[in-house]
Amino acid sequence: MANTGFLLPLTFVLLFATFGGILSVNSPNITTDQSALLALKSRITYDPHSFITTNWSTSTFVCNWVGVICESRHHRVAALNLSGMGLTGTIPSQLGNLSFLAWLDISHNTFHGSLPTELANLHRLEYLNFGSNNFEGEIPSWFGYFTELRSLFLHGNNFTGHLPSEIFDNLTKLQKLNLSGNQISGRIPTGLFKCKELTCLSLYNNSLDGNIPMEIGNLTMLNSLLLGYNNLTGPIPSSIFNISSLQEIVLGNNNLFAHLSSNIFDYLPRLLRLDLVGNQLSGRIPSSLFKCKKLEYLELYDNNLEEDIVPLGITNLTSLVYFSMPKTNLSGEIPYFIGNMTSLEYIDLSYNNLRGRIPSLQPSLQGYGVADNNLVGEIPSSICNLSSLDSLYLSENSLDGKIPECIGNLSSSLSIVELQNNNFHGEIPKTFAQGCTLQIFRMNNNQVEGSLPRSLVNCKYLNLLDVGNNYLYDTFPNWLGNLDRLQVVILRWNRFYGQVDNLNASDVTRLRVIDLSHNNFSGYLPRKFFESLQAIREGHEKKVEAEYLKYSLDDGSIYYVHDLYFTTKGLEREFHSLVTIWMAIDFSNNQFLGEIPETLGQLYSLIVLNLSHNSLTGCIPSSLGDLSELESLDLSSNKLHGRIPPELKNLGFLAVLNLSQNNLVGPILQGKQFDTFTNDSYMGNWGLCGLPLSKSCGNDEETPGENNSEDDGDGELNWKFSILMGYASGFIVGLSMRYIVFTTGKPRWLIRIITRFEKWYRS
């Protein structure tokens, strides 16, 4: 009996040990974690620094792998940080086996695909950051299983669909939520307001609609509220302005409305940033705003504010860094006290009704904009103290005097200089030094004279040069060929002279717009120059979507090319925007002679070609029929002879044609777009005959297009059908539409351009 009593406990010990051994074999351990991470490694297709492909090896303990942190008690993987490693790949389901994982950060890579549902097993997660990748699909509802989650970052991906309200039912510990920069639609879910510990809420730059719920006032711990760039409508809830902890309010670029009462900002003493741009605000700038003494960023423009002067209370905002109030109905003079606000780095008061002179400028300024006002006087000499100035917008005023020579000395920091449409005189500064960072230089529509400064050749980043409508007297600046980033060059309406054939054309491959019109250039058209224009030659092959021409600046802002001038049908027109597929060559109103080079027919993406009012001779090259994107062709007032090449019938988008005042003979082309051109296109050519002229052709001259084959007739029927379909679609895009409507006023032109842009956007 004694032996039996001894054996019974021993049996239990052995059984417990055996069972425990079985548990230890089957329970997750560090080997499980290693397998999960190796599964992730196998899904990585690009590792530029070999952080994963080289370091993650079974010969090294997993807790020593790059980006892996283990907790000390169980030696399990507790954190995985692969942020900013440049990795490309997908997420395997095995990653859900990291059962001790509390921190997961794979942001700023190019992971893609959808998220596996097995990630729902990561119940210990407190920090999850998938931001700045290429993930897609809807936001998974199983995110609601992460009950310990405090930070959730999914910004900068391609997530779509509605945001499920049930996600937030159990996320009571959530403090930071960033879903910005996706394509999330629908309304802001009411379940979100159960997350009472939220300090940061960013739904910025999505497609959300509907109202902002009044319950947003329940988030009494909010520091940052970022809902800008959506489609939100309705009133701005007054409860937002009662959240005293708020430091950032960004509601800009929606369709919200509110009346700015004088005391609306009384409860926001900690406010650092206020962005309400592009809504329907009414009232005046509230006096309570100037109690927010910590305010650094202020943007209220593009609303319906009442006319007001720049308020004196602005001087109370001694921390103000960014002061942007264009299009806010400001009037009166720019107050001198702004020059005493030493923290200011950026001021934009453009598109208002300000008058008077530009006051002294503070040395801290990096950006200064007062364009499109009623300002007079000279540029203040204090501009020479702005050693960090990046952008200067003074256009569309009545400023005069000489341009300070120090503008050239500031070119090591300046990216944009816009001085157009003023009354400046004297010469352009000649002091652009090595290391010049200028991208945009616009001096057009002033009274400057002298030569175009050769020192601009130091500005290797120059994209756009516009000095049109001045009194410049110089030979052609062949040194432009050394600026390999140039896209737009406008020298029109000056006194340039001489030949253009000396240009070093090897580096102008990006040039898409060149306007030399209304000068005294002479000699033959520059054949080698035309051959070098690769952007115009090859653009049609890339099939890029038509978008507005823009440049990215060093500070992350975007500059859109706007307010350029072109001559169309003999009239100067202003275009408020420029699309990337706009390719134009205008050499009109000079003294060019000789024949039109056949090589022009290789510039397949050309939209506008104007060689009018020169002394060109010879025949119209048949190669021009290869310019399949051409919308405007003006060869008028030359000495061209011969017949109109039948190949021009291939120009299906041709909306403006002017061959007048030449020595052309023979029948006018018939059919397709040629049926739309009037007498004005051909007048002054006494040898031409056929419609639309009253002079008929003799029996010995067949009118092209009258005896088409059956196939050609079908083609014309299809062409007319496509025109009708284009008109019905109403697809109106950018500059090309405006160009045709303004210059012709005829619906047939508009129909063709609509059809053309449908082709671009469907390709």
Side-chain angles (χ1 to χ4, degrees), residues 25-42:
V25 171
N26 294 329
S27 298
N29 53 34
I30 192 63
T31 304
T32 307
D33 293 350
Q34 177 179 280
S35 298
L37 293 176
L38 288 176
L40 175 59
K41 175 183 176 180
S42 69

Side-chain angles (χ1 to χ4, degrees), residues 259-266 284-289 291:
H259 181 77
L260 298 182
S261 60
S262 60
N263 62 348
I264 193 171
F265 297 109
D266 278 348
R284 293 177 178 267
I285 301 171
S287 57
S288 58
L289 181 63
K291 298 178 182 178

Side-chain angles (χ1 to χ4, degrees), residues 350 354 356-358 368-379 392-404 417-426 442-448 466 468-471 565:
S350 302
L354 298 170
R357 295 175 175 268
I358 298 175
Y368 188 74
V370 290
D372 212 326
N373 281 284
N374 302 307
L375 301 174
V376 297
E378 300 183 355
I379 299 175
L392 180 64
Y393 302 94
L394 305 181
S395 61
E396 303 283 349
N397 282 286
S398 297
L399 299 171
D400 55 28
K402 294 184 177 181
I403 301 163
V417 174
E418 292 209 339
L419 306 178
Q420 69 268 26
N421 294 297
N422 282 288
N423 299 312
F424 293 119
H425 61 266
R442 303 184 66 183
M443 273 294 317
N444 52 293
N445 292 71
N446 280 284
Q447 301 170 30
V448 296
D466 188 352
N469 292 67
N470 281 288
Y471 302 118
Y565 292 82

Side-chain angles (χ1 to χ4, degrees), residues 72-344:
S72 57
R73 182 179 178 186
H74 299 92
H75 299 289
R76 297 290 304 279
V77 175
L80 179 62
N81 187 355
L82 306 180
S83 177
M85 292 187 178
L87 305 173
T88 300
T90 57
I91 303 300
S93 59
Q94 293 91 327
L95 207 64
N97 295 333
L98 299 175
S99 52
F100 272 70
L101 199 64
W103 183 288
L104 177 57
D105 187 350
I106 60 171
S107 61
H108 297 283
N109 289 290
T110 50
F111 284 102
H112 54 90
S114 57
L115 300 177
T117 57
E118 288 79 4
L119 294 183
N121 297 325
L122 304 178
H123 298 300
R124 297 175 188 252
L125 271 183
E126 298 179 14
Y127 181 94
L128 177 60
N129 192 342
F130 286 170
S132 297
N133 281 284
N134 291 323
F135 291 114
E136 57 189 26
E138 297 187 358
I139 304 289
S141 59
W142 44 260
F143 272 32
Y145 295 159
F146 302 144
T147 57
E148 300 297 317
L149 201 62
R150 287 166 170 77
S151 299
L152 175 59
F153 300 103
L154 303 176
H155 57 280
N157 282 283
N158 299 310
F159 289 112
T160 57
H162 292 196
L163 187 58
S165 185
E166 62 270 19
I167 287 180
F168 305 102
D169 289 344
N170 298 316
L171 299 184
T172 56
K173 298 181 180 180
L174 193 64
Q175 297 174 2
K176 296 180 179 180
L177 176 64
N178 189 347
L179 306 179
S180 63
N182 284 285
Q183 302 170 41
I184 301 169
S185 56
R187 295 175 175 266
I188 299 174
T190 55
L192 179 61
F193 307 114
K194 298 177 182 179
C195 305
K196 299 294 183 62
E197 295 188 18
L198 269 178
T199 60
C200 176
L201 172 60
S202 179
L203 304 177
Y204 186 87
N205 193 17
N206 278 285
S207 300
L208 297 169
D209 55 34
N211 296 350
I212 301 176
M214 183 64 73
E215 291 84 351
I216 200 166
N218 297 338
L219 306 179
T220 56
M221 300 177 69
L222 266 184
N223 294 327
S224 297
L225 177 62
L226 310 177
L227 303 179
Y229 281 89
N230 280 286
N231 301 314
L232 299 172
T233 58
I236 299 176
S238 58
S239 58
I240 289 177
F241 301 102
N242 295 325
I243 305 175
S244 59
S245 58
L246 272 174
Q247 297 179 8
E248 288 186 287
I249 300 177
V250 178
L251 305 178
N253 291 284
N254 283 289
N255 196 25
L256 302 166
F257 61 85
H259 181 77
L260 298 182
S261 60
S262 60
N263 62 348
I264 193 171
F265 297 109
D266 278 348
Y267 299 104
L268 298 173
R270 301 175 61 188
L271 196 62
L272 299 176
R273 180 183 180 189
L274 179 64
D275 176 356
L276 300 176
V277 307
N279 284 290
Q280 299 183 42
L281 306 182
S282 59
R284 293 177 178 267
I285 301 171
S287 57
S288 58
L289 181 63
F290 308 120
K291 298 178 182 178
C292 305
K293 295 187 177 182
K294 295 184 178 181
L295 195 65
E296 296 180 0
Y297 295 86
L298 175 59
E299 299 178 87
L300 294 177
Y301 62 88
D302 205 7
N303 279 286
N304 299 317
L305 298 179
E306 299 174 19
E307 184 173 348
D308 201 354
I309 61 171
V310 180
L312 179 63
I314 200 80
T315 55
N316 295 333
L317 305 180
T318 56
S319 299
L320 200 61
V321 173
Y322 190 95
F323 180 36
S324 182
M325 297 189 67
K327 299 181 182 179
T328 45
N329 239 350
L330 293 174
S331 60
E333 297 188 357
I334 302 175
Y336 72 90
F337 55 73
I338 287 183
N340 300 325
M341 300 176 67
T342 56
S343 60
L344 270 177

Side-chain angles (χ1 to χ4, degrees), residues 540-551:
H540 74 297
E541 298 175 356
K542 298 178 181 178
K543 296 299 181 184
V544 293
E545 288 190 351
E547 60 179 14
Y548 291 112
L549 188 60
K550 60 188 178 184
Y551 303 109

